[in-house]
Amino acid sequence: MNTLGSFTIRKLTGLSAFRTGMFRLLRSVSGITVFLMGPILLVSQGTRDYNPKQMAIREKVFNTIVSCFKRHGAETIDTPVFELKETLTGKYGEDSKLIYDLKDQGGELLSLRYDLTVPFARFLAMNKISNIKRYHIAKVYRRDNPAMTRGRYREFYQCDFDIAGHYDPMIPDAECLRIVSEILGELDLGDFHIKVNDRRILDGMFAVCGVPDDKFRTICSTVDKLDKMCWEDVKNEMVKEKGLSEEAADMIGQYVSMQGGMDLAVRLLEDPKMSQSKQACAGLSDMKQLFSYLELFQVTDKVVFDLSLARGLDYYTGVIYEAMLGPAGESLSVGSVAGGGRYDGLVGMFDPKGRAVPCVGVSIGVERIFSILEQKAEAEKVRTTEVQVLVASAQKNLLEERLRLVTELWNAGIKAESMFKKNPKLLSQLQHCEESGIPLVAILGEQELKNGMVKLRTVATREEVRDSCVCVCVCNSLIAIKSRQC
Amino acid sequence: MNTLGSFTIRKLTGLSAFRTGMFRLLRSVSGITVFLMGPILLVSQGTRDYNPKQMAIREKVFNTIVSCFKRHGAETIDTPVFELKETLTGKYGEDSKLIYDLKDQGGELLSLRYDLTVPFARFLAMNKISNIKRYHIAKVYRRDNPAMTRGRYREFYQCDFDIAGHYDPMIPDAECLRIVSEILGELDLGDFHIKVNDRRILDGMFAVCGVPDDKFRTICSTVDKLDKMCWEDVKNEMVKEKGLSEEAADMIGQYVSMQGGMDLAVRLLEDPKMSQSKQACAGLSDMKQLFSYLELFQVTDKVVFDLSLARGLDYYTGVIYEAMLGPAGESLSVGSVAGGGRYDGLVGMFDPKGRAVPCVGVSIGVERIFSILEQKAEAEKVRTTEVQVLVASAQKNLLEERLRLVTELWNAGIKAESMFKKNPKLLSQLQHCEESGIPLVAILGEQELKNGMVKLRTVATREEVRDSCVCVCVCNSLIAIKSRQC
């Protein structure tokens, strides 16, 4: 399809239907391309529906994450999916071109939120909140090139946890790292590690290596590419594209290859060059402090002080971090699964008097996690409902009795259903249980009805009991099934 | 501000800030209006942030609703917040003007979803699903006139439950009504009632009253206004604006004043005029059937067959319903809190071969419910975190010990926090517990540390115990607190 010019593509209404795959819309008839029009059956590029199985996986991941956030005492907030365009302007640097704007339909100029951090800062300033520990789970929007098999979408979830307030240094920062570690551990994604660095250490390093002040941010962006490019290419970009001197680049090269723990911070504090930068020293002392708290939080084995970590966003002012799957030094291709850092200046940008509220936070990259877990679950059977019992009938003309019984079960708070047919076959009722994993069937028959009883069958074992007190019987059987599974 | 022309308003960047209310941006200086520019601190018109207290209420409502949907065996899906514009085109009649479009930034033409029903139908057709019981909770978007105090927003949640598939008539329809009844009962909103009608009964009624075929839909829209306008005004609109004969209007007037239960359906089946319409008879027989199922589902006391109920949307084909707060005949001003009906033709509009999938569903109007519950909770204290224990210190220099203990508690799955200060005052730690409702404080002191113990205090009663096994002690105390509260 790429041979069609974009003009042609735009002129053909409904053309996006050719991507549906449900029926052939495009044929080549003696060399002439013919479009067969049909209903539109698509979602927008870079977005997707979640089917029930995917939703079951998503719910499990969210439950793990929210439990962790709540264990750490967070409240939650929500903000609108779109913000005034001005709110987002000037916050994302080059990436601003990826913001989705709404059409001007007469009224305000609006944009879809790009992350949850800027709306959070706006919320704090607008409500004059100077300290809060909050989480926010919601979708954000970026007009980026999607790579959907690797979990990169244009509409995707972010799970953010942030701590705002004036506190003693590095305590909230360390708690954020503990949270990342708890979540990635509990999600059972295999080995992982978290890289940390500090924007002040980076800036100090740039200064002592002789990078001119006005090139800090652009050189920082180049350093950020070290996870995807080799050092030679990164150096090339610095020297040839960004006009840095070869000596400065080489010196940076030495530093960014360093990895370690508290020991590295101690060593660099004594480094003849680094120690000349006040900024670097402030960052390094805090890094030392951070590692001492990480020790108390029992997560030092997961955290690596890595001078090559730079992070893309402009608003970071202190500690930054990024979590990768795989053991340290062997990041898997999936990219980072969590990231964040300290941003002490953002709230002040929204405050009329510029009052700053220091913040530190972390964002869990759940889409990549979903992708991994979905691939793992491909062959598995995942239950998508929680029905505990199906009310079935063995003979015809028992619809009323079934509906009466299912009502009793609902009244008792039991998750139950009955088929929407007047006379379903027993076999198809039992098949439905097996397909959707319903553990129990309550079977009504004329004989049982005469005796005021019901037959309860455990689907997996085919064991049967007869009882008159169906609700109690269902509850007991469910407890029995549960204890057998334990 | 309305005296400014829209041109002027558009030209003044940042002007929306005048609505912020945080600082005066607009002053009248000797008759000349002066704009003081400042940072933007607003959310878009008709949208709102949810603060932690509002989120706590929202979570409770969602839990009630989701539990009910799951009790009835529903799976869940999710769809993107925007759809291809074509997907929404031609589905909402006059209301299409309220759809939010995205700006054409080169690529597809996109619109924010207007409801969850059309995306659901698109999802079914796209994935060739012919039967499913699913719920979907998500935000939808309408460029309507907001009335935020009454819970009417431009961005608002819908909680939809739908049953798709070819089944015996009225069984799924009755289950939807049972679900509405369960949810409104459990949310404890006071008395409520559900009006039901059927599009076929309405159309049959229009036919026997002499409404021309091509005026069915527009007369139906006028009838729909009976919940806000008196009969005289409705009749006027029919006769003067829509050109209906006075006799036809009067005849309609007689029918739409009728309310009842199964008896009314039986009576109308024998009505000399109504019985002439095949459509009306089909609808009335089904209504009879519906009431017999509602009886089995134990909800007839909540349901009223009301011939004035019409519903706005075009896509309904059978049963329709709407739930109101207040006893029958005395609807409260809050408007409907749930609504839905049968739409057997919508999925076919998306299917290349026009294959129909009959559907019936209900949407819970949670924003109105939030508004009511928020107003109720205004004076109440609502906990916004779930922290079970605060780790505090009675003396200085115990930060490390606090962090070590809080880590142990997290490891044991206990929701715990400690203040982010090196040396917080005991009083401020205790105050924090009272403010945020934390039931327990674990207090570290030098004496206790020497003995390898911790003091655990119940905040409300000030009871104290000393123990070395803090995790177990916390758990036991929480159980004790819980059982006291029961």
Side-chain angles (χ1 to χ4, degrees):
Chain A
M1 290 314 307
N2 293 329
T3 54
L4 285 169
S6 71
F7 176 69
T8 326
I9 286 177
R10 294 269 193 84
K11 283 204 71 176
L12 288 159
T13 45
L15 184 67
S16 26
F18 69 71
R19 284 196 276 111
T20 161
M22 282 195 64
F23 48 109
R24 283 204 315 165
L25 279 160
L26 183 72
R27 279 194 310 195
S28 198
V29 180
S30 30
I32 299 160
T33 304
V34 177
F35 293 93
L36 305 175
M37 292 308 169
I40 307 305
L41 282 167
L42 265 182
V43 293
S44 165
Q45 217 195 329
T47 69
R48 64 156 168 175
D49 295 320
Y50 285 82
N51 64 33
K53 187 175 172 178
Q54 291 165 328
M55 286 298 280
I57 293 169
R58 188 175 110 176
E59 246 183 79
K60 231 177 119 187
V61 172
F62 281 161
N63 284 343
T64 304
I65 293 173
V66 170
S67 299
C68 177
F69 291 162
K70 287 189 174 174
R71 191 158 56 240
H72 287 264
E75 315 178 271
T76 186
I77 67 160
D78 195 15
T79 64
V81 80
F82 43 69
E83 294 277 342
L84 295 178
K85 192 175 162 63
E86 296 107 304
T87 301
L88 307 189
T89 304
K91 307 297 184 307
Y92 303 106
E94 276 183 24
D95 285 346
S96 295
K97 64 178 185 295
L98 303 180
I99 294 174
Y100 274 100
D101 291 329
L102 266 72
K103 191 169 150 185
D104 182 1
Q105 291 171 291
E108 303 148 319
L109 293 179
L110 305 170
S111 301
L112 296 185
R113 63 184 161 213
Y114 182 86
D115 65 8
L116 302 177
T117 311
V118 168
F120 175 55
R122 192 262 310 142
F123 174 83
L124 294 185
M126 193 167 150
N127 296 287
K128 291 184 180 171
I129 294 168
S130 55
N131 64 75
I132 191 171
K133 213 191 283 178
R134 85 89 181 77
Y135 71 90
H136 189 185
I137 296 188
K139 288 175 177 174
V140 302
Y141 299 86
R142 299 184 187 177
R143 294 179 56 255
D144 213 338
N145 285 327
M148 294 166 57
T149 49
R150 291 191 294 125
R152 209 167 109 183
Y153 295 89
R154 290 181 159 190
E155 175 188 59
F156 59 98
Y157 267 100
Q158 283 197 334
C159 299
D160 281 23
F161 173 95
D162 292 79
I163 299 169
H166 291 269
Y167 299 118
D168 280 319
M170 296 298 119
I171 315 177
D173 314 58
E175 186 162 348
C176 287
L177 291 166
R178 161 87 196 188
I179 283 172
V180 174
S181 179
E182 279 184 25
I183 289 172
L184 295 180
E186 282 163 26
L187 286 175
D188 211 10
L189 300 163
D191 210 354
F192 65 90
H193 62 283
I194 310 167
K195 296 179 181 174
V196 289
N197 198 4
D198 193 298
R199 273 287 165 90
R200 293 166 299 171
I201 299 175
L202 278 170
D203 285 354
M205 174 184 88
F206 292 142
V208 301
C209 292
V211 178
D213 282 16
D214 60 341
K215 284 195 172 144
F216 277 18
R217 284 281 76 77
T218 179
I219 294 299
C220 191
S221 300
T222 308
V223 168
D224 192 42
K225 295 178 184 166
L226 270 171
D227 57 340
K228 284 168 210 128
M229 280 158 59
C230 67
W231 168 248
E232 278 314 306
D233 293 342
V234 167
K235 182 181 162 184
N236 254 338
E237 186 176 311
M238 286 180 179
V239 177
K240 295 193 180 143
E241 280 178 42
K242 306 206 165 162
L244 196 67
S245 75
E246 186 124 5
E247 300 74 47
D250 283 336
M251 221 184 281
I252 292 172
Q254 283 188 339
Y255 284 117
V256 296
S257 67
M258 294 179 180
Q259 293 195 334
M262 194 195 282
D263 55 310
L264 178 59
V266 174
R267 220 169 70 222
L268 286 172
L269 272 170
E270 288 157 11
D271 180 274
K273 275 196 233 82
M274 280 294 232
S275 58
Q276 286 168 26
S277 158
K278 250 189 164 173
Q279 256 201 311
C281 288
L284 288 164
S285 307
D286 277 350
M287 188 61 72
K288 238 178 83 183
Q289 180 76 277
L290 179 71
F291 269 91
S292 75
Y293 295 143
L294 293 177
E295 183 96 40
L296 298 167
F297 284 155
Q298 304 175 4
V299 290
T300 35
D301 59 323
K302 293 295 178 197
V303 184
V304 185
F305 173 25
D306 184 324
L307 273 97
S308 73
L309 180 73
R311 305 258 320 142
L313 287 169
D314 273 3
Y315 50 60
Y316 292 117
T317 54
V319 170
I320 46 176
Y321 34 81
E322 224 168 83
M324 314 283 187
L325 295 187
E330 265 183 65
S331 306
L332 298 185
S333 62
V334 70
S336 75
V337 288
R342 178 162 284 284
Y343 50 101
D344 288 348
L346 193 58
V347 178
M349 289 172 75
F350 290 105
D351 189 276
K353 289 189 183 153
R355 269 172 303 225
V357 177
C359 295
V360 63
V362 62
S363 187
I364 310 291
V366 275
E367 300 290 343
R368 287 175 182 176
I369 294 169
F370 295 153
S371 286
I372 295 165
L373 296 178
E374 277 168 25
Q375 276 162 28
K376 269 193 191 172
E378 235 164 46
E380 278 170 46
K381 212 167 168 140
V382 175
R383 274 204 78 177
T384 56
T385 74
E386 297 178 10
V387 178
Q388 298 169 312
V389 56
L390 179 83
V391 176
S393 50
Q395 282 112 8
K396 284 197 168 184
N397 300 323
L398 294 175
L399 174 65
E400 288 200 7
E401 287 74 10
R402 278 194 285 131
L403 297 188
R404 220 173 260 133
L405 179 55
V406 82
T407 305
E408 262 186 59
L409 293 168
W410 291 333
N411 287 346
I414 294 167
K415 293 167 196 154
E417 62 179 357
S418 187
M419 304 205 56
F420 294 125
K421 301 259 179 192
K422 281 192 172 172
N423 294 307
K425 287 184 187 137
L426 185 58
L427 190 66
S428 71
Q429 296 173 87
L430 294 174
Q431 267 174 351
H432 174 66
C433 288
E434 291 193 352
E435 276 161 19
S436 59
I438 302 173
L440 295 173
V441 216
I443 306 172
L444 292 168
E446 274 161 23
Q447 197 53 48
E448 283 85 4
L449 283 167
K450 263 185 210 154
N451 302 329
M453 304 195 98
V454 124
K455 192 159 69 181
L456 190 72
R457 180 203 285 227
T458 306
V459 177
T461 59
R462 301 193 182 183
E463 277 172 70
E464 289 185 350
V465 287
R466 273 187 179 71
D467 209 318
S468 59
C469 200
V470 194
C471 295
V472 176
C473 189
V474 167
C475 285
N476 287 342
S477 302
L478 287 168
I479 293 165
I481 288 174
K482 224 174 162 185
S483 67
R484 257 206 305 279
Q485 283 171 342
C486 288
Chain B
M1 289 313 304
N2 293 327
T3 54
L4 284 167
S6 71
F7 176 68
T8 326
I9 285 179
R10 296 269 191 84
K11 283 204 73 177
L12 287 160
T13 45
L15 183 68
S16 24
F18 69 72
R19 283 196 277 113
T20 163
M22 284 196 63
F23 49 110
R24 284 205 314 168
L25 279 160
L26 183 72
R27 280 196 306 199
S28 198
V29 181
S30 28
I32 300 161
T33 304
V34 178
F35 292 93
L36 303 176
M37 293 307 169
I40 307 305
L41 282 166
L42 265 184
V43 294
S44 165
Q45 215 196 329
T47 69
R48 63 157 169 176
D49 295 319
Y50 285 82
N51 65 32
K53 188 174 173 180
Q54 291 165 328
M55 286 298 279
I57 294 169
R58 189 174 110 176
E59 246 183 78
K60 232 178 118 188
V61 172
F62 282 161
N63 285 343
T64 304
I65 292 173
V66 170
S67 298
C68 176
F69 291 163
K70 286 190 174 172
R71 191 159 56 240
H72 287 264
E75 315 178 272
T76 186
I77 68 160
D78 195 16
T79 64
V81 79
F82 43 69
E83 294 276 342
L84 297 178
K85 192 175 162 61
E86 296 108 305
T87 300
L88 306 190
T89 304
K91 306 298 184 306
Y92 302 106
E94 275 183 23
D95 286 346
S96 295
K97 63 178 186 295
L98 303 180
I99 294 174
Y100 274 101
D101 291 329
L102 267 73
K103 191 169 150 185
D104 182 2
Q105 290 171 293
E108 303 148 319
L109 293 180
L110 304 171
S111 301
L112 297 185
R113 62 182 162 213
Y114 182 85
D115 65 7
L116 302 177
T117 311
V118 168
F120 174 55
R122 192 263 309 143
F123 174 83
L124 293 185
M126 192 168 150
N127 296 287
K128 291 185 179 168
I129 294 167
S130 56
N131 63 75
I132 191 170
K133 211 191 283 179
R134 84 90 183 77
Y135 71 90
H136 188 187
I137 295 187
K139 288 175 178 174
V140 302
Y141 299 87
R142 300 185 185 175
R143 295 178 57 253
D144 214 338
N145 284 328
M148 295 165 59
T149 47
R150 290 192 296 127
R152 209 166 110 182
Y153 295 90
R154 289 182 161 190
E155 175 189 59
F156 59 96
Y157 268 100
Q158 284 198 335
C159 299
D160 281 22
F161 172 96
D162 293 79
I163 300 169
H166 291 268
Y167 298 118
D168 281 318
M170 297 297 119
I171 314 177
D173 314 57
E175 186 160 348
C176 287
L177 291 167
R178 161 86 196 188
I179 284 172
V180 175
S181 177
E182 280 185 25
I183 289 172
L184 295 180
E186 282 164 26
L187 286 174
D188 212 10
L189 300 163
D191 210 354
F192 65 91
H193 62 282
I194 311 168
K195 295 179 181 174
V196 289
N197 198 4
D198 192 300
R199 275 287 164 90
R200 291 165 299 170
I201 299 175
L202 277 169
D203 285 354
M205 174 185 86
F206 292 143
V208 301
C209 292
V211 179
D213 282 16
D214 60 341
K215 284 195 174 147
F216 276 19
R217 284 282 74 78
T218 181
I219 294 298
C220 191
S221 300
T222 308
V223 168
D224 192 41
K225 295 177 185 166
L226 269 172
D227 57 340
K228 286 168 208 128
M229 278 157 60
C230 68
W231 167 248
E232 279 314 305
D233 292 341
V234 167
K235 181 182 165 184
N236 254 338
E237 187 176 311
M238 286 180 180
V239 176
K240 293 190 182 145
E241 280 178 42
K242 306 204 166 164
L244 196 66
S245 74
E246 185 125 3
E247 300 74 47
D250 283 336
M251 223 185 279
I252 292 172
Q254 283 189 336
Y255 284 117
V256 296
S257 66
M258 295 180 182
Q259 292 195 336
M262 195 194 281
D263 55 311
L264 178 58
V266 174
R267 218 169 69 223
L268 286 171
L269 272 170
E270 288 157 9
D271 181 273
K273 274 194 234 82
M274 280 294 232
S275 58
Q276 285 167 29
S277 158
K278 251 189 165 173
Q279 256 200 312
C281 288
L284 289 164
S285 308
D286 276 351
M287 188 61 72
K288 237 178 85 183
Q289 179 77 275
L290 178 71
F291 270 91
S292 75
Y293 294 143
L294 293 177
E295 181 96 41
L296 297 168
F297 285 155
Q298 304 174 3
V299 290
T300 35
D301 58 324
K302 293 295 178 198
V303 185
V304 184
F305 172 26
D306 184 325
L307 272 97
S308 73
L309 180 73
R311 304 255 324 137
L313 288 168
D314 273 2
Y315 51 59
Y316 292 117
T317 55
V319 169
I320 47 177
Y321 34 80
E322 225 168 83
M324 315 283 188
L325 295 187
E330 266 183 65
S331 306
L332 299 186
S333 63
V334 68
S336 75
V337 289
R342 177 162 284 282
Y343 50 101
D344 288 346
L346 193 59
V347 179
M349 289 173 74
F350 290 106
D351 189 276
K353 289 187 185 156
R355 267 173 306 226
V357 178
C359 295
V360 63
V362 62
S363 186
I364 310 290
V366 275
E367 300 291 343
R368 288 176 181 174
I369 293 169
F370 294 154
S371 287
I372 295 164
L373 296 178
E374 278 168 25
Q375 276 163 27
K376 269 192 191 173
E378 237 164 44
E380 278 170 46
K381 211 164 170 143
V382 175
R383 274 204 78 177
T384 57
T385 74
E386 297 178 9
V387 177
Q388 300 168 311
V389 56
L390 179 83
V391 176
S393 50
Q395 281 112 10
K396 284 197 169 186
N397 300 323
L398 293 176
L399 175 65
E400 289 199 8
E401 287 73 10
R402 278 194 285 131
L403 297 189
R404 220 173 260 132
L405 179 55
V406 82
T407 305
E408 261 186 61
L409 292 168
W410 291 332
N411 287 345
I414 293 167
K415 294 166 197 155
E417 62 179 356
S418 188
M419 313 235 359
F420 295 125
K421 301 258 178 191
K422 281 191 171 172
N423 296 307
K425 286 183 188 139
L426 186 58
L427 191 66
S428 72
Q429 295 174 87
L430 294 174
Q431 266 173 351
H432 174 67
C433 289
E434 290 192 354
E435 275 161 20
S436 57
I438 302 174
L440 296 173
V441 216
I443 305 171
L444 293 168
E446 274 160 24
Q447 197 53 45
E448 283 85 2
L449 283 166
K450 263 187 210 152
N451 301 330
M453 301 195 101
V454 124
K455 192 158 70 180
L456 191 72
R457 180 204 283 230
T458 306
V459 177
T461 60
R462 300 191 182 184
E463 277 172 70
E464 289 185 351
V465 287
R466 274 186 177 72
D467 208 317
S468 58
C469 198
V470 194
C471 296
V472 177
C473 189
V474 167
C475 285
N476 288 341
S477 301
L478 287 169
I479 293 166
I481 288 174
K482 223 174 160 183
S483 66
R484 258 206 303 278
Q485 284 171 341
C486 289

